[in-house]
Amino acid sequence: MTRTVAILGATGLVGRTMRALLEEREFPLGRLVLLASERSEGRRETFRGANVPVDPVSEKSFEGVDLALFAVTNPLSEKWAPAARAAGTRVIDNSSAFRYHPDVPLIVPEVNGALLEARPTLIANPNCSTIGIVMALAPLLAAARFERVVVSTYQSVSGGGAEALEELERGVRGGLDGDPPPRAGGLPPFAFNVVPHIDRFEENGYTREEMKIVWETRKILDLPRLAITATAVRVPVRIGHCASVNLELDRDLTPDQARALWAKAPGVRVVDDPADGRYPTALESAGRDEVLVGRARRDPSRSHALEFFVASDNLRKGAALNAVQIAEALARVEAGAR
Amino acid sequence: MTRTVAILGATGLVGRTMRALLEEREFPLGRLVLLASERSEGRRETFRGANVPVDPVSEKSFEGVDLALFAVTNPLSEKWAPAARAAGTRVIDNSSAFRYHPDVPLIVPEVNGALLEARPTLIANPNCSTIGIVMALAPLLAAARFERVVVSTYQSVSGGGAEALEELERGVRGGLDGDPPPRAGGLPPFAFNVVPHIDRFEENGYTREEMKIVWETRKILDLPRLAITATAVRVPVRIGHCASVNLELDRDLTPDQARALWAKAPGVRVVDDPADGRYPTALESAGRDEVLVGRARRDPSRSHALEFFVASDNLRKGAALNAVQIAEALARVEAGAR
């Protein structure tokens, strides 16, 4: 196997996690190309014991590259995806630039990986909160129809990138003995705070992050009319996105039945033994591949309603791991096609 | 006015805030008695420039005391409330020991303060999360009937008392450059974490904290059959409880109408201008008397449903301020009766 793989955004939090996962999971590749903006020129990163330079991305970067994992902002994805595809490079894109395009599959391999059999050349990787929520919701579709989903998230600061994480660290240190300093632009501090604002506000009063959860859950579950709403909130945590999920169903589903469905689902781990003090937490999810689900209980405020709590590593399953799993699934499709 | 007032639990987070508020609000009292367990013996606190000793509580402590504010655990409230009442002392109790007793009024003065006109001798102060939520819900009852309420909380660590807050500080300092240390008893750290576990677990899978929100919201709003459910979550914040509230109504209520109702409600402050980056946060609520409400929006997943976000200082309005406001209302009732 002499496949060449590139990571665009190789020095960011997600890009670095992609590189670590390609190594950790022994992804079948012959050569790894690390790409970033000119700001990162001169940097080198380690991969499989070798010292790999980080190259500034250019029109020529994608020549001979079979697969590129993009971990950059929307404008950069919009700029470089056409160049990559023109060079014959398949792109798995972690930005939201292409997620809502009807021709671009939005993939969580355990849920809708079958769409990769069409061998798409551009695949969108979902929002970091959405992936955990969808991984917990999907197994329950085998038992009941969804009437409505109400989500409130508890999102870590690494979801906002390396600079946001540095702001958290500065804020925590600056706030050890008093109020944490405000963020740049007068924004409320991350440290010691709860901030119900992620991404920009839309006209309907929801943030774009909240609408991503709505749009992407519908698309991934192939339930375009699903009734779903979300409140997306930043909390002073480094890694690990949590969500409180209230799910209304068309028939009864007991917590035991839900746990049995999750236990069978690849990539989901049931952590739900309150008597023993076991439930999902942000810290327990950090560094793990599985999505943790627990606190399952019958919601007495509505018949056929279930509540549960989800935690997952937003850099791994919420971003880099899911992208690498898409790449792995594509490699299997290609191997099968040969 | 020569009324004598006592604070039981005077050295705890809530007791200290009660003392500060009695001074700040110029509560009409002649003498302040500070009571605590024997552990606090020898401590002295300042009140109106005077140095007040903290006395160990005993059977004799309540002699000549007109009003006692209790800020202690359930067992201590259960032990000392009868002694106080036997001495003719009116008790405002911040524990949950008496909250669910049908004969004990559970009071948020702005909402159901009229019950104080009966001059009860034992009054329960509600749960710190419940008060903020109820303050935001109550004004909307003027416009619509409530069909269902789904709450997810973001609760600060001071809600767990002074020792919990010290654990947070230790955890943050110990976790500046790595994983925070576990809490005593192997419990998950507060620092850099999201923990969906407050108070003990009940048989139905809900925590007692979650059921407090259910039971107390029903009692305070006098809606004994209200469909309501909650997920109560601890976040690494010092002061300020937040809640994401999804409210289903029997008729349409626009965000503008909701904001107009809140703007008229005493003790509620509308902080809801996303375009200007204004919404409730935990830090903005800390040190303030008002409950902050914002992020009001029409929930598209259900007709006649509204979502909003609440933040309030759990030591002030969530505990000590509400108790002092009850005392003030009782003083007005008495003044009126004379």
Side-chain angles (χ1 to χ4, degrees), chain B:
Chain B
M1 174 69 66
T2 57
R3 191 171 5 201
T4 297
V5 175
I7 298 174
L8 174 62
T11 59
L13 286 182
V14 173
R16 271 147 50 193
T17 310
M18 285 169 166
R19 178 171 46 82
L21 285 164
L22 290 176
E23 178 163 337
E24 181 181 317
R25 296 169 72 88
E26 303 183 358
F27 186 83
L29 64 84
R31 191 166 70 97
L32 181 67
V33 176
L34 300 180
L35 303 171
S37 68
E38 297 193 344
R39 276 194 308 166
S40 298
E41 196 160 1
R43 279 181 67 164
R44 304 183 74 88
E45 303 279 357
T46 306
F47 182 71
R48 294 183 183 167
N51 209 256
V52 184
V54 179
D55 296 323
V57 61
S58 75
E59 298 288 340
K60 307 255 181 200
S61 297
F62 300 99
E63 281 173 16
V65 171
D66 301 288
L67 173 74
L69 306 176
F70 279 24
V72 289
T73 60
N74 284 14
L76 289 172
S77 281
E78 281 158 9
K79 178 173 179 188
W80 294 110
R85 295 172 81 191
T89 306
R90 179 169 282 158
V91 174
I92 301 172
D93 180 45
N94 192 51
S95 84
S96 65
F98 307 108
R99 287 179 193 158
Y100 315 117
H101 193 293
D103 294 340
V104 177
L106 181 68
I107 301 291
V108 176
E110 296 90 335
V111 178
N112 63 346
L115 296 176
L116 297 174
E117 279 160 29
R119 306 179 68 183
T121 57
L122 173 62
I123 302 104
N125 201 44
N127 168 269
C128 46
S129 278
T130 307
I131 293 178
I133 294 162
V134 163
M135 286 286 288
L137 286 174
L140 307 183
L141 277 171
R145 213 164 65 86
F146 293 179
E147 300 281 358
R148 182 173 178 237
V149 187
V150 177
V151 172
S152 292
T153 70
Y154 304 71
Q155 297 185 224
S156 73
V157 178
S158 61
E163 281 178 33
L165 199 53
E166 283 162 24
E167 285 235 38
L168 171 68
E169 301 297 341
R170 270 198 301 276
V172 167
R173 284 174 163 77
L176 281 178
D177 299 301
D179 281 343
R183 271 187 289 152
L187 287 167
F190 291 130
F192 301 106
N193 205 4
V194 171
V195 182
H197 175 194
I198 303 178
D199 211 330
R200 65 181 162 81
F201 282 94
E202 303 278 302
E203 292 231 330
N204 62 0
Y206 284 79
T207 59
R208 189 126 187 118
E209 182 79 2
E210 288 160 356
M211 295 314 298
K212 284 175 186 170
I213 295 171
V214 169
W215 297 328
E216 298 181 24
T217 300
R218 286 178 181 157
K219 182 165 176 172
I220 298 162
L221 295 180
D222 195 21
L223 297 171
R225 306 174 71 86
L226 177 65
I228 172 169
T229 186
T231 301
V233 180
R234 194 70 84 191
V235 292
V237 165
R238 290 178 180 129
I239 295 176
H241 282 6
C242 296
S244 160
V245 181
N246 187 289
L247 174 62
E248 298 172 41
L249 300 158
D250 73 332
R251 72 199 71 181
D252 203 45
L253 184 72
T254 68
D256 277 341
Q257 288 169 329
R259 282 185 284 260
L261 290 167
W262 287 321
K264 286 191 303 184
V268 175
R269 205 157 70 90
V270 179
V271 183
D272 199 5
D273 186 358
D276 195 33
R278 298 194 34 74
Y279 36 76
T281 65
L283 277 177
E284 188 161 347
S285 76
R288 280 183 199 274
D289 288 349
E290 299 104 328
V291 171
L292 312 183
V293 188
R295 294 288 334 265
R297 56 218 196 274
R298 241 182 230 281
D299 170 3
S301 79
R302 170 93 58 193
S303 51
H304 314 322
L306 198 69
E307 296 201 283
F308 52 89
F309 203 76
V310 183
S312 73
D313 184 319
N314 52 293
L315 298 178
R316 288 188 162 245
K317 186 57 184 169
L321 173 63
N322 196 70
V324 170
Q325 286 173 323
I326 291 170
E328 291 169 346
L330 282 168
R332 282 194 299 272
V333 168
E334 280 177 18
R338 262 198 300 272

Side-chain angles (χ1 to χ4, degrees), chain A residues 160-184:
Chain A
E163 281 178 33
L165 199 52
E166 282 160 25
E167 285 234 39
L168 171 67
E169 301 297 343
R170 270 196 302 275
V172 167
R173 285 173 162 79
L176 282 178
D177 299 301
D179 281 343
R183 271 187 287 152

Side-chain angles (χ1 to χ4, degrees), chain A residues 79-92:
Chain A
K79 178 173 180 187
W80 294 110
R85 294 172 83 193
T89 306
R90 180 169 281 157
V91 174
I92 300 172

Side-chain angles (χ1 to χ4, degrees), chain A residues 225-266:
Chain A
R225 304 174 71 85
L226 177 64
I228 172 169
T229 186
T231 302
V233 180
R234 195 70 84 191
V235 293
V237 165
R238 290 178 180 128
I239 296 176
H241 281 7
C242 296
S244 161
V245 182
N246 188 289
L247 175 62
E248 298 172 42
L249 300 159
D250 72 332
R251 70 199 73 179
D252 203 45
L253 184 72
T254 68
D256 278 342
Q257 288 169 329
R259 282 185 284 259
L261 290 166
W262 287 322
K264 285 191 304 186

